[in-house]
Structure formats: C-alpha cells, structure tokens
Amino acid sequence: MTTLDFALGETIDMIRESTARFAADRIAPLAAEIDAKDWFPRDLWPAMGELGLHGITVEEEWGGLGMGYLAHVVAQEEVARASASIGLSYGAHSNLCVNQIRRWGNAEQKARYLPKLISGEHVGSLAMSEAGAGSDVVSMKLRAEKKSDRYVLNGTKFWITNATYADVLVVYARTGEGSRGITTFLIEKDFPGFAIGQKIDKVGMRGSPTAELVFTDCEVPAENVMGEPGQGVAILMSGLDYERAVLAGIQIGIMQACLDVVLPYVRERRQFGQPIGAFQLMQAKIADMYVALNSSRAYVYAVARACDAGQTTRFDAAGAILLASENAVKVALEAVQALGGAGYTRDWPVERFMRDAKLLDIGAGTNEIRRMLIGRELVGPLG
C-alpha cells in the first residue's frame, strides 16, 4: 500500500525497514498463536536486542542507539503491526522501564541494569497501578519503610505488564504522605519478599503478560532508590508524556495491520459479479480508515518530534494517544465490518485487532483522564 511520506529522514526510514523486516519474519508468524495461547515468546527479546530496539532512546555511552522518541514510535508501530501484544510488552520494557532508568537512574544504576535490559537478556517492567489506585495513582497504598540501609516494602501492585517475566521493575511506593511522599525503586525479581500474585486473563493483548505483584517485607537496598526519596510523582508524571507518545505507536500499527488485511480482501472478495471494493460504500469505508490512520500518524509523529526537541506539552502527549486510540478502535471495527461474517470469526485476524485496540482507550491513562487533562491545561486557571 502506498502511503504519505512524512519525511522522517533516512535514519528513521532505515529503522522502520529493519524493524518491519524482523517483525514480518519473526513476530507476525507467531501472532495468532500468541493470542490463542496467551503466550509470551521470551526468545524474541534477545533478537530484538540485537537490532538495538530495546535501547533506541538510550545514549550510545550506555549501549543504546541514542535515536530518540520519533525513532522509538516508528519501531513501536512496526512491532505492533505484526503483533500488538508484543508491541505492548516491548513498549513497557523499552520505554516504561529502560527509558525511565536512562532518564532518572544514576551512573551506578545505569551500569548495573541497562546492559542486560538493552541486550534483551533481561525483561523490564514498570509498576504504578494498584487495585484501588489507577487514574488516581497518588492514592497508592504500597508502603516502603526506611530501616537502616534499606527499605522494607509491603503491599501490592496490579495490572502490571510483563510482570511474570520481568527481571527488573521500576516500582513506585509510598514513603510519606501526599504527593511528595512517593519514591521510585528499582526492584529485582529475586529480592526476598517479592512475588508474583494472580495472573490476569485479558480480553485483548493476550500474550503480553499482566499480573499482580506482592511485596511481603520485601527488602530493597537504599541504593536502589531511583532519583531522590519523595521524588516519585515527578518521575512518574514526567515519564507519562513519553509513554503516551511511544505507546500511541501501537495503535498506529494496529490500524496499518487492519488495512493490510482489508485491502487485499476487498479486491478479491466478489459479490453481485464484481469485487466488493468496486462498491462506493466500501471505498468510503477504506477512505475513512486511511484518513484515521494518517491523521493519527501526523499528530503522533509531531509530538514525538517535540519530545526529541524537549518541547512537548503534556496536553499534546495526551492528545496524540487520545486520537490514535479512538481511531484505532474505529478502524478495527470497520475492518471487522468490511470482512462481514468472516471478520467475526477467528479465521481472520481483524477480530484480534478489535480486541487489542480497545486497551489503549484505557491503559496509560484513560481517555476520560486525557480529555480532562487537555481541557484543564487549555482553559488554564480560573477564578
């Protein structure tokens, strides 16, 4: 399919080509099985590491490519085009975990954790949400109590992507009261008192493992505090802008995957003596899908460029994923409709695209929260 040239540059075009080739060869053939079995193919991680995908935003001195957020969005898009589930786990690893350590870790923490995360030998995760603290993340209950040269953590986290496979986790816990009473910790899976709780069976994004984390007198060395004690909310909120920009690439990948299926289908499927793509109603459907995809691309790419220039705004990061997430759901529904009865069976992947697309109306801050943030920022202080 020919598409609009967004003039991203030769280097990023190369990232797209190499990632798309890898995704088509190694990820796409597994996508249906990943979904059907809720299976995370762990062996993909070192292979993705060899391509440099895990450290795409990390400076070269720490073993990364130093290419920034626009490159990361494009890589995210191509991985998710092959499998949104792997795309979600990839984003949680490379952005939520690796990029946060890159941005906030000290030199010793970067040297200790980044090499194996970037190579794919280790899987990374971020733990923010709890059963009673989702959008209202500051109400988290996981408690970290300082005792001599360590902190002791007690409580749980919920809805944690990559939890069951993670070797290193960026975890937010309460060390005091209010928004200045939250601290960021680097947790290793083998720390005593740390365990995986119930695994969550999701409607979509199956194969991207999601689970509960349980901390029972879990001892964490004080040197595993990332940033300063009490700085957790600032670290968390600053990372959300980049998280939203990068994860919006998943929705772009889903929309492209929908067109990858629908366009050949409408050319080949015949009714009333001609291909269904010859009917104006079907052509209008295809046009709407294409416009939804490229309007999302334009906004997301612009926000990613702003991230690279240090000029992003919180409301535009929220706006980009808001547009991409809602468009992806619409495009996936249209893809099912375009295939008719076939689209409502598991013989075709569009029903999977539909289930996968819905997650990012909810994850990384719900669309309701995004709208609230955008409106509040644009209106400004009142009274």
Side-chain angles (χ1 to χ4, degrees):
M1 183 187 87
T2 58
T3 189
L4 180 63
D5 182 2
F6 284 90
L8 304 184
E10 183 179 345
T11 302
I12 290 179
D13 287 345
M14 289 174 59
I15 286 288
R16 184 187 297 279
E17 290 167 12
S18 62
T19 307
R21 188 164 51 248
F22 173 85
D25 291 344
R26 296 289 305 275
I27 301 176
L30 304 176
E33 185 179 4
I34 287 169
D35 177 71
K37 296 181 178 179
D38 198 9
W39 164 54
F40 178 68
R42 175 66 179 83
D43 61 338
L44 287 175
W45 246 234
M48 293 169 74
E50 288 178 14
L51 280 181
L53 296 180
H54 298 314
I56 205 163
T57 61
V58 179
E59 292 81 1
E60 292 182 15
E61 65 178 296
W62 299 110
L65 297 181
M67 294 185 65
Y69 296 103
L70 181 58
H72 200 176
V73 167
V74 168
Q76 177 75 87
E77 176 184 340
E78 294 300 331
V79 171
R81 181 180 180 180
S83 167
S85 299
I86 298 303
L88 180 62
S89 283
Y90 167 58
H93 171 92
S94 60
N95 182 264
L96 278 68
C97 181
V98 171
N99 193 58
Q100 282 292 74
I101 295 173
R102 168 241 164 196
R103 294 180 65 239
W104 290 98
N106 59 36
E108 191 278 330
Q109 290 167 344
K110 291 178 183 179
R112 192 189 336 165
Y113 293 116
L114 286 181
K116 290 183 178 180
L117 288 167
I118 290 171
S119 72
E121 181 179 344
H122 282 176
V123 172
S125 178
L126 178 141
M128 177 176 68
S129 298
E130 298 178 4
S135 297
D136 181 17
V137 69
V138 178
S139 67
M140 67 177 63
K141 303 295 188 206
L142 175 63
R143 174 69 63 172
E145 183 180 352
K146 182 75 182 294
K147 291 189 177 180
S148 184
D149 62 346
R150 61 196 57 242
Y151 287 81
V152 178
L153 274 62
N154 282 284
T156 61
K157 291 290 180 182
F158 211 65
W159 310 112
I160 307 307
T161 303
N162 292 349
T164 48
Y165 288 86
D167 300 278
V168 180
L169 304 96
V170 176
V171 175
Y172 297 94
R174 181 162 294 288
T175 50
E177 300 305 317
S179 61
R180 296 185 181 181
I182 293 173
T183 299
T184 313
F185 296 90
L186 291 168
I187 305 294
E188 299 174 24
K189 67 176 183 180
D190 295 327
F191 280 176
F194 173 71
I196 303 300
Q198 63 175 304
K199 297 176 178 61
I200 299 166
D201 187 14
K202 305 189 299 295
V203 169
M205 295 294 192
R206 296 172 56 78
S208 177
T210 307
E212 177 188 31
L213 307 179
V214 180
F215 299 84
T216 308
D217 292 331
C218 176
E219 296 189 0
V220 181
E223 61 262 29
N224 277 49
V225 169
M226 192 166 71
E228 298 297 325
Q231 196 180 16
V233 169
I235 293 173
L236 186 158
M237 297 306 293
S238 72
L240 271 177
D241 296 341
Y242 304 111
E243 173 186 345
R244 285 168 172 155
V246 170
L247 294 187
I250 298 174
Q251 304 300 69
I252 296 173
I254 291 173
M255 285 186 272
Q256 183 63 66
C258 288
L259 281 167
D260 291 342
V261 173
V262 170
L263 284 174
Y265 186 86
V266 300
R267 293 182 185 122
E268 296 166 9
R269 171 70 168 167
R270 298 181 69 87
Q271 291 287 278
F272 306 104
Q274 58 185 318
I276 63 173
F279 296 109
Q280 289 182 346
L281 278 172
M282 190 59 70
Q283 292 171 3
K285 194 179 297 292
I286 297 297
D288 288 344
M289 294 170 71
Y290 180 77
V291 170
L293 167 60
N294 273 342
S295 59
S296 299
R297 273 192 172 125
Y299 198 1
V300 173
Y301 291 171
V303 168
R305 279 184 160 125
C307 289
D308 287 336
Q311 297 173 345
T312 188
T313 63
R314 182 145 297 166
F315 55 86
D316 276 315
I321 195 170
L322 171 64
L323 180 68
S325 67
E326 294 195 339
N327 277 352
V329 172
K330 292 174 185 175
V331 167
L333 287 168
E334 289 285 38
V336 172
Q337 191 71 19
L339 269 64
Y344 203 64
T345 70
R346 292 186 183 271
D347 294 335
W348 290 83
V350 289
E351 61 83 27
R352 166 163 48 91
F353 302 159
M354 177 180 65
R355 289 184 284 108
D356 290 346
K358 186 58 185 173
L359 175 73
L360 285 176
D361 277 353
I362 302 166
T366 66
N367 281 346
E368 289 76 14
I369 292 295
R370 293 163 191 162
R371 283 190 166 89
M372 181 183 73
L373 170 62
I374 295 165
R376 185 177 62 200
E377 292 284 335
L378 291 176
V379 171
L382 298 173

